[in-house]
Amino acid sequence: ILWDLKKSEIKKVYSVNRTYSNPVDFSKDFSKIIYYSHSKNLIIYDLKTGRELKRIKLPYYFSGELALSNDNKFAAFKTEQKVAVVNLSTGKHYTLPFREIDSYSKILFLKDNKHLVVQGQYNRLLYYNYIENKFMHDLILKSKYFIKSFSISKNQKFVAYNQFADVVIYDIKNKKRIAKYIAKGNYSTLKDIKFSQDERFVVATTGKHLLRVFDIKANRYIRTLYPK
C-alpha cells in the first residue's frame, strides 16, 4: 500500500500472489518489487506490466526482513542468525560474517551502494561492507527498551530509533541524543521508522495501524494519520 502523506489517503494498492506472504521492498522508482517466496526463490516483479521479471533460486530459509540496495543491484535478507546478500545481476550469493543479530533485525542499505547496517543484539547497529563481505564496526544505541526499528538519514549524520512508543534522534558523529519525541495518548510500540526524503520529518508506524509524524526542524510531534 502506498500512502499519500499530503492528502492523507491511500494512493495505490498493489496485489501479488497471496502465497508469497514474506515482506517485500520497492525499487527506488517504485516500478518493481522484490520478495522471497516460501519455495526459496527471490523474485523481481514489474508493477507496470504486472509480470515477473526474474527468479533466483537460493538455498536459504527466509526468517525476516528484506531490503533492496539503492542502485537496485543487491538484495539482502535475514536467514536464521545470518544475513544473506544476493547480486541480482549474476545471482551470486553469500552470507555476511556472523554477528549476534536480533530475531526481528532490520536491514538498511546506505546511500553509498557499498555498506549496509543490520540491527544486532543489545541495541547495536552492525555496519558491513557488503561488496567486500566484511564487518566494519558497530554503534551502540542507549535505550531502556528493546529497539524494534531504526532509520539512518541520507547524509548518515543521524539515526532515528524507537524507545517503546517514543522516537529518539541520535547524532552519530558526536555520539549523543539530540531529540526525543513523545506523542500523547495510548500508543503501542513503534514498528518501523523512516526519514522523509528532505530529512525534515520522521514517520513512524505502530502496531495499531497508525502513522505518526515528527518534525525534526521544529523539534516536535506533528500529527497522527489513520489509514483506512
Side-chain angles (χ1 to χ4, degrees):
I1 297 174
L2 288 182
W3 179 265
D4 191 317
L5 288 172
K6 291 183 178 180
K7 296 181 179 179
S8 295
E9 65 183 17
I10 294 175
K11 184 176 181 180
K12 195 168 184 179
V13 177
Y14 297 99
S15 298
V16 296
N17 192 321
R18 290 188 179 183
T19 60
Y20 304 124
S21 58
N22 288 328
V24 304
D25 196 14
F26 281 93
S27 62
K28 298 306 174 278
D29 60 0
F30 294 103
S31 66
K32 304 176 185 68
I33 60 171
I34 185 169
Y35 51 96
Y36 199 61
S37 74
H38 294 296
S39 57
K40 298 181 181 179
N41 286 294
L42 191 65
I43 301 170
I44 303 173
Y45 183 85
D46 192 313
L47 293 173
K48 293 180 180 179
T49 64
R51 296 179 179 178
E52 181 182 308
L53 297 177
K54 194 168 187 178
R55 180 181 292 247
I56 302 174
K57 183 68 175 178
L58 297 169
Y60 310 111
Y61 286 102
F62 184 91
S63 55
E65 188 61 32
L66 172 68
L68 187 63
S69 64
N70 293 282
D71 57 7
N72 301 322
K73 293 182 178 180
F74 290 84
F77 58 91
K78 185 171 176 287
T79 172
E80 297 177 339
Q81 292 300 312
K82 295 182 179 181
V83 174
V85 177
V86 183
N87 185 316
L88 299 177
S89 298
T90 65
K92 181 182 178 182
H93 54 85
Y94 48 88
T95 56
L96 296 175
F98 175 75
R99 290 292 188 280
E100 293 180 325
I101 58 178
D102 284 319
S103 301
Y104 301 98
S105 295
K106 182 175 180 178
I107 301 170
L108 182 66
F109 280 94
L110 299 184
K111 303 295 182 180
D112 60 7
N113 296 318
K114 186 177 181 180
H115 297 92
L116 62 77
V117 182
V118 182
Q119 192 172 337
Q121 287 188 355
Y122 312 112
N123 293 336
R124 293 180 303 135
L125 300 185
L126 309 174
Y127 284 72
Y128 288 93
N129 182 324
Y130 63 88
I131 301 296
E132 299 178 10
N133 192 18
K134 65 180 182 181
F135 173 74
M136 304 299 292
H137 61 87
D138 63 3
L139 173 65
I140 300 175
L141 301 176
K142 294 182 179 181
S143 175
K144 296 185 295 183
Y145 305 99
F146 170 68
I147 295 174
K148 293 266 314 186
S149 185
F150 72 95
S151 184
I152 296 175
S153 63
K154 189 176 180 179
N155 57 19
Q156 298 182 37
K157 291 183 178 180
F158 306 105
V159 57
Y161 63 94
N162 77 296
Q163 277 194 339
F164 186 57
D166 305 327
V167 172
V168 174
I169 307 297
Y170 183 84
D171 186 322
I172 297 175
K173 182 179 179 179
N174 296 311
K175 298 182 179 180
K176 64 179 183 179
R177 189 180 76 182
I178 60 173
K180 181 178 180 181
Y181 305 121
I182 303 174
K184 296 180 180 180
N186 183 21
Y187 295 100
S188 59
T189 302
L190 300 179
K191 300 297 183 183
D192 199 9
I193 298 173
K194 297 286 186 183
F195 280 94
S196 62
Q197 290 295 319
D198 59 4
E199 299 185 348
R200 175 174 177 174
F201 301 99
V202 169
V203 179
T205 63
T206 78
K208 294 186 177 181
H209 309 293
L210 306 178
L211 297 175
R212 294 167 56 198
V213 183
F214 304 87
D215 189 325
I216 299 174
K217 187 176 181 179
N219 194 21
R220 66 188 180 93
Y221 161 73
I222 297 296
R223 63 186 299 198
T224 297
L225 304 174
Y226 301 86
K228 296 180 180 179

